[in-house]
């Protein structure tokens, strides 16, 4: 009785462990929506771009091979347990022992070798395919720099600097137009991961890593930093906005403009430039040339604030300017101690940065 209870415990523990592992697999690659970003759910199992597609195909093949091995081994195990279990009246002697059977030894040496060899071949082919891809003349080149806790995005050839949203053209029927990324870090190690588009690649200080994507379907693709980089690692979200080719050109032209100077928010403008905001932020076409924080030239063209921590609404912007720590604890933007009136004025000015 005691023994069977112990055995039940063990089975229960094994089942719980299995359920936990299954849950991990099912939720792998999901990004939790943050503050109303309901489109923030993604999955590694429905890629919409190279190289994610190629990586998924390889993973499915590896999963199939390993799954088959699991089924064969587990099947034999279950068969042996059921068929040869202890029955009343069995003599309690050892079963016949087999030593030095050439056939058995050969089988369990050669078969795994062949399987591992196949896995090495398919994996190396995929890695080589992805790493050897060279930029075409039409390819978009961008540099992504990881910061605690936001993404700086530069297009050196287009003269654009933005943050947290990587805009790229879709490759449609008219031709392939991939985007090649140079990945750098300004402080600690981060990792760029947009599961629907590609695998992860680290951003490492004093080093440049390369990756490329080639999405075919316009849309917004969420991703996040996949390397623990400090307190707000979980709120270091990246969005890749994929445009139809002509729409991408329009976006690029708009981003190349200097900041619009409007007379409507003169007071807020004065407050902004009288405070240390200008030491960290750039607004092109003005004296604000700081590079420690995100470029704000076209702040209003972005969907989110604080690297995806909040949607870019007037209320959230007010909350952010009043006290960034309320939205993102530990973030490097300080509370500027502005009065309610000044907050409203600065927000009004920021809203002119379209
Ligand atoms: Cu950056 Cu985690």
């Amino acid at each position: 009785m005691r023994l069977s209870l112990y055995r039940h415990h063990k089975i229960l523990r094994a089942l719980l462990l299995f359920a936990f592992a299954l849950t991990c697999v099912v939720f792998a690659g999901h990004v939790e929506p943050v503050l109303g970003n309901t489109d923030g759910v993604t999955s590694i199992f429905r890629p919409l771009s190279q190289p994610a597609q190629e990586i998924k195909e390889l993973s499915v093949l590896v999963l199939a091979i390993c799954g088959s091995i699991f089924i064969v081994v587990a099947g034999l195990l279950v068969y042996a347990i059921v068929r040869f279990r202890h029955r009343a009246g069995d003599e309690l002697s050892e079963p016949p022992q087999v030593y030095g059977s050439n056939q058995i030894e050969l089988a369990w040496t050669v078969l795994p070798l062949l399987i591992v060899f196949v896995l090495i071949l398919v994996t190396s082919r995929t890695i080589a395919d992805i790493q050897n891809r060279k930029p075409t003349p039409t390819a978009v080149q961008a540099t992504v720099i990881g910061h605690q806790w936001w993404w700086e995005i530069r297009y050196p050839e287009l003269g654009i600097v933005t943050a947290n949203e990587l805009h790229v053209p879709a490759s449609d029927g008219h031709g392939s137009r991939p985007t090649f990324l140079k990945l750098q870090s300004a402080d600690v190690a981060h990792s760029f991961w947009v599961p629907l588009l590609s695998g992860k690649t680290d951003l490492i200080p004093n080093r440049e890593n390369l990756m490329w994507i080639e999405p075919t379907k316009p849309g917004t693709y969420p991703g996040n930093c996949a390397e623990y980089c400090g307190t707000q690692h979980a709120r270091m979200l990246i969005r890749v906005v994929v445009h139809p080719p002509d729409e991408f050109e329009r976006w690029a032209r708009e981003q190349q403009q200097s900041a619009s100077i409007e007379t409507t928010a003169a007071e807020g403008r004065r407050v902004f430039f009288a405070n240390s905001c200008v030491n960290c932020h750039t607004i092109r076409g003005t004296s604000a040339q700081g590079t420690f924080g995100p470029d704000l030239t076209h702040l209003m063209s972005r969907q989110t604030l604080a690297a995806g921590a909040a949607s870019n609404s007037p209320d959230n912007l007010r909350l952010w300017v009043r006290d960034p720590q309320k939205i993102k604890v530990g973030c490097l933007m300080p509370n500027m101690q502005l009065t309610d009136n000044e907050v409203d004025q600065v927000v009004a000015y920021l809203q002119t940065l379209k």
Side-chain angles (χ1 to χ4, degrees):
M1 182 62 204
R2 192 91 149 283
L3 193 74
S4 95
L5 210 83
Y6 175 68
R7 199 176 289 152
H8 272 127
H9 244 86
K10 269 185 129 171
I11 292 173
L12 193 72
R13 214 169 55 188
L15 277 174
L16 276 175
L17 218 78
F18 181 70
F20 175 70
L22 199 70
T23 316
C24 291
V25 168
V26 167
F27 285 100
H30 278 237
V31 175
E32 283 304 309
V34 180
L35 274 189
N37 299 333
T38 46
D39 57 349
V41 179
T42 184
S43 163
I44 53 171
F45 293 111
R46 44 185 184 88
L48 288 166
S49 167
Q50 287 298 10
Q53 180 67 32
E54 204 171 337
I55 295 171
K56 187 199 113 179
E57 279 160 18
L58 173 65
S59 316
V60 169
L61 179 70
V62 173
L63 204 66
I65 293 175
C66 297
S68 317
I69 296 171
F70 173 77
I71 288 170
V72 170
V73 173
L76 286 174
L77 189 65
V78 170
Y79 173 77
I81 290 170
V82 174
R83 174 79 177 73
F84 300 108
R85 72 183 187 279
H86 178 77
R87 290 187 177 82
D90 277 357
E91 340 167 14
L92 291 171
S93 60
E94 269 196 1
Q97 303 293 301
V98 183
Y99 287 114
S101 157
N102 281 343
Q103 280 161 329
I104 295 179
E105 305 255 344
L106 267 176
W108 70 40
T109 309
V110 174
L111 260 177
L113 267 180
L114 285 177
I115 293 169
V116 170
F117 193 61
V118 168
L119 291 178
I120 289 175
L121 281 185
V122 291
T123 309
S124 336
R125 196 185 60 183
T126 305
I127 293 175
D129 266 3
I130 294 172
Q131 288 195 341
N132 295 344
R133 179 83 190 261
K134 295 278 172 287
T136 52
T138 55
V140 174
Q141 307 267 3
T143 305
V144 178
I145 305 160
H147 293 256
Q148 282 178 320
W149 291 276
W150 60 282
W151 308 87
E152 177 181 349
I153 297 162
R154 296 177 165 267
Y155 299 76
E157 291 170 357
L158 299 172
I160 296 171
V161 182
T162 180
N164 303 323
E165 284 174 20
L166 174 67
H167 290 251
V168 303
S171 286
D172 58 7
H174 302 299
S176 142
R177 201 166 173 208
T179 300
F180 281 75
L181 303 174
K182 289 182 177 154
L183 304 178
Q184 304 169 352
S185 169
D187 36 46
V188 299
H190 304 270
S191 179
F192 183 95
W193 189 31
V194 182
L196 295 178
L197 304 181
S198 179
K200 300 170 189 170
T201 308
D202 280 6
L203 299 86
I204 299 166
N206 301 318
R207 194 195 144 88
E208 187 168 81
N209 279 340
L210 304 172
M211 73 181 286
W212 58 273
I213 50 173
E214 191 176 0
T216 48
K217 199 168 154 251
T220 302
Y221 298 79
N224 57 346
C225 180
E227 174 87 40
Y228 183 73
C229 54
T231 322
Q232 286 295 346
H233 154 73
R235 286 200 183 134
M236 184 166 167
L237 280 76
I238 178 99
R239 283 158 182 265
V240 177
V241 183
V242 180
H243 298 276
D246 48 340
E247 198 181 293
F248 175 74
E249 302 305 334
R250 201 178 324 133
W251 174 84
R253 273 198 304 278
E254 281 166 13
Q255 294 288 318
Q256 283 162 345
Q257 310 292 323
S258 286
S260 54
I261 309 282
E262 288 176 34
T263 48
T264 47
E267 268 310 296
R269 207 177 132 76
R270 195 192 55 74
V271 175
F272 185 92
F273 283 88
N275 278 282
S276 48
C277 313
V278 292
N279 294 340
C280 291
H281 295 286
T282 291
I283 298 179
R284 260 175 290 144
T286 74
S287 60
Q289 296 293 326
T291 52
F292 192 68
D295 185 302
L296 301 179
T297 310
H298 298 286
L299 176 66
M300 284 303 119
S301 71
R302 296 185 205 143
Q303 301 172 6
T304 65
L305 300 171
S311 56
N312 189 359
S313 68
D315 284 347
N316 286 340
L317 190 58
R318 191 166 290 116
L319 203 65
W320 179 251
V321 173
R322 182 188 304 280
D323 186 4
Q325 307 295 325
K326 288 264 165 58
I327 291 184
K328 215 165 166 174
V329 183
C331 81
L332 302 184
M333 174 157 153
N335 181 339
M336 302 302 294
Q337 314 289 345
L338 301 178
T339 64
D340 281 358
N341 200 18
E342 286 172 331
V343 169
D344 287 341
Q345 289 167 341
V346 168
V347 168
Y349 169 59
L350 292 177
Q351 282 177 314
T352 67
L353 302 174
K354 301 224 167 73

